[in-house]
Amino acid sequence: MTGTRPTAGASVQQREEPRRDAPDAAMPGTLPATTSTGGQTGLPVEVRRSRRRRRTVSAYEDDGRVVVLLPASFTKAQEREWVDRMVARLAARRRRQPASDQELLARAVELGRRYLDGARPVSVRWVTNQRTRWGSCTPTDRTIRLSDRLADMPTWVVDYVLLHELAHLRVPDHSAKFWRLLEAYPRTERARGYLEGVAAAAGLDIGEDDESE
């Protein structure tokens, strides 16, 4: 390719492009993926183009398929190159083993003991359906959910999101009292900046969470 090279999304995205901006809407293909048992599965690949995209390329898994988001201006050769690249990236991501839900719970308990006077959830788990927030908490049943997009991020960023949701066990809203609870964590501002940068680079409309559920 000549000219300025497009940039890949900073993380696996979960935002769909409007279909009215999606000529050449689909391209069949397969994604070889290593499962926890060592076998392989195949996922169809759908290519979506958008006139709003100029340089960024991103990909995510959705409902049993891989969706690759491309600028509308890409040639077929560029499409093939970037589909192959993003599918390979997703396959590599699958091979990595993120913390299990039980490990997340243990980490949350330790963080709550250290920074939030023993705040303790009943469960913490990864979820794939959070497209507008990094995490969520339900104070009534003391459950926490984290977007699986965090799995590839630095541990200190994941710790911050865990603490953010743990703080909702104490204060359900985002009042000044809530933010004071997070001042004890030394990387709060750095983690918030990191998450904002990831969202901005990928063109995502995503926040830390909504008001507590």
Side-chain angles (χ1 to χ4, degrees):
M1 283 192 303
T2 60
T4 303
R5 293 183 64 83
T7 56
S11 62
V12 178
Q13 310 303 323
Q14 294 183 322
R15 173 187 175 190
E16 296 187 6
E17 297 289 319
R19 288 187 179 275
R20 65 177 180 275
D21 287 340
D24 301 326
M27 184 186 76
T30 58
L31 169 64
T34 301
T35 68
S36 59
T37 58
Q40 289 192 334
T41 62
L43 296 178
V45 174
E46 178 180 340
V47 174
R48 297 179 188 172
R49 292 170 175 255
S50 172
R51 295 187 185 92
R52 294 184 304 171
R53 285 179 175 259
R54 296 294 182 264
R55 299 176 58 197
T56 60
V57 179
S58 56
Y60 61 90
E61 291 184 33
D62 180 55
D63 194 25
R65 70 189 187 282
V66 173
V67 178
V68 180
L69 309 177
L70 300 173
S73 60
F74 270 24
T75 65
K76 284 295 183 182
Q78 288 175 309
E79 177 181 303
R80 286 191 296 270
E81 175 185 349
W82 280 94
V83 166
D84 288 347
R85 184 176 298 188
M86 299 308 288
V87 166
R89 180 174 296 184
L90 280 170
R93 181 175 183 269
R94 280 182 160 218
R95 288 192 292 269
R96 291 192 290 271
Q97 295 297 317
S100 67
D101 291 351
Q102 286 301 312
E103 289 170 333
L104 281 178
L105 176 59
R107 183 60 179 167
V109 169
E110 171 59 22
L111 289 168
R113 182 194 64 78
R114 186 183 305 176
Y115 296 108
L116 290 173
D117 195 28
R120 184 185 184 108
V122 169
S123 69
V124 184
R125 61 188 176 91
W126 297 110
V127 294
T128 62
N129 60 352
Q130 292 192 152
R131 300 188 178 188
T132 61
R133 52 190 175 178
W134 299 113
S136 61
C137 173
T138 305
T140 53
D141 63 12
R142 307 183 70 79
T143 59
I144 290 173
R145 294 153 299 281
L146 298 187
S147 168
D148 65 339
R149 283 174 294 192
L150 292 164
D152 290 335
M153 296 188 190
T155 300
W156 53 270
V157 176
V158 179
D159 283 354
Y160 164 72
V161 178
L162 280 171
L163 279 166
H164 184 112
E165 303 310 329
L166 282 166
H168 280 310
L169 298 179
R170 296 280 190 253
V171 180
D173 55 34
H174 288 126
S175 63
K177 181 179 179 181
F178 170 85
W179 292 110
R180 283 196 296 270
L181 292 175
L182 295 176
E183 291 176 355
Y185 183 58
R187 292 187 171 184
T188 287
E189 292 306 317
R190 183 181 177 191
R192 296 190 73 195
Y194 183 99
L195 292 171
E196 289 171 1
V198 168
L204 287 171
D205 182 16
I206 186 169
E208 295 182 27
D209 61 15
D210 296 330
E211 293 295 325
S212 59
E213 297 178 346

